[in-house]
Amino acid sequence: RILLSGPFLKNRGIELRTLIVGAGAMGCLFSAKLHLSGFDVTLFNRENERVKWIEREGIQLITVDNEQVQAFVPVIYDTGKLEKYDLILILVKSFATEAVLTELKHIVDENTIVLSLQNGVGNLEIMQKVVPRADLGIGGTGSGASVLNIGMIAHRATGVTNSGFIEDRQPDKYLYISEMFSKSGIETVITEDVQSVIWTKLMINVAFNSLTAITRLRNGDVLLPKAGESLVRELLTEALEVAEKEGVEILYANPIEDILQIGHTQIARNQSSMLTDVLKSRKTEIEVINGAIVKYGKKHGISTPYNELMMALIKVIEESYPKQIER
């Protein structure tokens, strides 16, 4: 059930200091959009060349209208300089969740909202383990971004961001988060059914991430050949059967057709995060995406050959980066 959708709420005297964790494409997108809309946001990431660049030059954002804007978002890479924040938004890769939350737990108390908009399943369980007293939220975003160079990202997809919270501790703040994101140009709704939020985003990732990483095509382009669309249908058919056995309701009236339509429209121009990882010879999130379907399929005795194949192919790619033939 959607709790907030549509016109922005009137100002209720709430202001949230926000820490965005992760300076990848999505972390930079949310940081830039919130900062440019006048919200109090800070970006946190381990010290590397990208965050040092952002600290000096700001985030260069190419908007969906192909305009270039610059956002001088405050950057922190020393955990000793972190303060108390009302909202901590987690946008690192899933395999880094536990390590980064362990670094942050000294600034988390029972009033801190920790919201994950990461890919895959299993992030909530890690959050509950590492920062159990925090006010925990989980969700998935239909927005997408691509890194063009060290300090420049492009906003490529504009789908809805769905979020849900485990307990109803601070409802006014949840609504404010939705308002804050939406006002920044990232349309957001709050829903009661957290698992539906997680699994609905998982369906998008299952459909596009591994297939685009293997073919090196953008989301929309992978659907243009009939064989590409057919593979997406097979991947989703398996995933939906698993979700049904898990008792999870997917937030689309006709999931396969709706996801294909999203692939042709809202996220067509986006380069999936898994494709980006493969192009940069990095570890992917395959284990918590197609791998999750395989895992839960085995739990329920459901055959998932298409998802198993995608996982195996990505594993071959990951383990063979040094030997790959350059184009």
Side-chain angles (χ1 to χ4, degrees):
R1 182 168 70 88
I2 291 174
L3 300 182
L4 174 67
S5 180
F8 304 134
L9 300 174
K10 291 184 182 289
N11 191 333
R12 293 170 305 284
I14 298 172
E15 185 174 352
L16 301 183
R17 295 191 69 210
T18 300
L19 182 71
I20 293 182
V21 181
M26 295 307 298
C28 286
L29 176 66
F30 272 79
S31 296
K33 299 284 279 185
L34 289 171
H35 178 81
L36 291 167
S37 297
F39 294 104
D40 184 348
V41 59
T42 299
L43 180 62
F44 172 73
N45 197 86
R46 65 182 174 84
E47 186 175 359
N48 59 23
E49 189 179 1
R50 175 179 293 173
V51 294
K52 296 291 284 185
W53 176 278
I54 291 171
E55 187 177 39
R56 294 192 311 270
E57 309 291 339
I59 298 169
Q60 313 296 315
L61 173 64
I62 307 298
T63 71
V64 290
D65 298 320
N66 211 35
E67 296 179 359
Q68 183 172 335
V69 294
Q70 191 173 27
F72 284 95
V73 179
V75 176
I76 292 177
Y77 38 82
D78 178 355
T79 56
K81 295 183 179 180
L82 292 171
E83 302 173 356
K84 290 287 186 180
Y85 299 89
D86 304 293
L87 169 64
I88 298 177
L89 180 61
I90 307 296
L91 287 169
V92 295
K93 298 291 185 184
S94 295
F95 51 76
T97 304
E98 184 168 356
V100 77
L101 282 177
T102 300
E103 289 188 70
L104 298 176
K105 64 182 182 180
H106 68 286
I107 62 167
V108 173
D109 61 28
E110 64 277 4
N111 294 317
T112 309
I113 297 172
V114 180
L115 173 61
S116 162
L117 295 180
Q118 298 162 281
N119 290 332
V121 296
N123 294 298
L124 176 59
E125 290 75 10
I126 295 171
M127 293 161 68
Q128 290 171 321
K129 171 187 171 184
V130 182
V131 286
R133 63 177 182 159
D135 190 353
L136 300 177
I138 197 87
T141 179
S143 284
S146 300
V147 176
L148 301 183
N149 59 44
I150 190 170
M152 180 178 289
I153 62 165
H155 190 182
R156 296 299 194 198
T158 57
V160 174
T161 294
N162 289 286
S163 298
F165 294 87
I166 308 309
E167 301 176 27
D168 193 25
R169 293 194 213 170
Q170 305 179 86
D172 283 351
K173 290 184 180 179
Y174 308 153
L175 297 180
Y176 183 83
I177 290 169
S178 177
E179 177 185 78
M180 178 171 69
F181 288 175
S182 295
K183 192 172 182 180
S184 301
I186 300 171
E187 183 185 355
T188 300
V189 296
I190 305 297
T191 182
E192 284 184 326
D193 191 340
V194 176
Q195 290 302 319
S196 287
V197 169
I198 297 170
W199 279 75
T200 298
K201 177 60 189 296
L202 178 63
M203 294 299 120
I204 299 282
N205 293 150
V206 164
F208 295 103
N209 281 30
S210 59
L211 188 54
T212 58
I214 292 164
T215 60
R216 303 199 174 193
L217 294 171
R218 295 187 186 277
N219 293 339
D221 291 336
V222 84
L223 294 175
L224 297 180
K226 289 184 179 180
E229 180 179 320
S230 178
L231 283 169
V232 169
R233 287 182 181 276
E234 296 289 356
L235 289 167
L236 285 173
T237 297
E238 293 177 0
L240 290 166
E241 186 178 357
V242 170
E244 184 178 6
K245 284 292 186 181
E246 278 290 297
V248 178
E249 181 182 358
I250 302 303
L251 302 175
Y252 295 118
N254 190 342
I256 293 179
E257 300 306 322
D258 289 349
I259 289 170
L260 286 171
Q261 180 63 22
I262 290 168
H264 280 298
T265 56
Q266 296 176 10
I267 63 172
R269 297 169 57 211
N270 195 47
Q271 176 177 301
S272 76
S273 59
M274 195 173 294
L275 172 54
T276 300
D277 289 336
V278 165
L279 292 174
K280 294 182 179 292
S281 300
R282 297 189 304 220
K283 179 178 172 61
T284 74
E285 296 178 293
I286 191 66
E287 294 283 358
V288 296
I289 299 176
N290 301 86
I293 301 305
V294 174
K295 173 184 173 182
Y296 284 97
K298 289 178 179 177
K299 171 185 172 182
H300 295 291
I302 297 170
S303 178
T304 58
Y306 283 90
N307 281 278
E308 287 183 29
L309 179 59
M310 290 296 117
M311 185 168 70
L313 288 170
I314 293 295
K315 287 291 186 182
V316 169
I317 292 171
E318 280 187 346
E319 294 171 17
S320 308
Y321 285 137
K323 297 180 181 180
Q324 288 173 6
I325 298 170
E326 295 295 329
R327 183 176 176 181

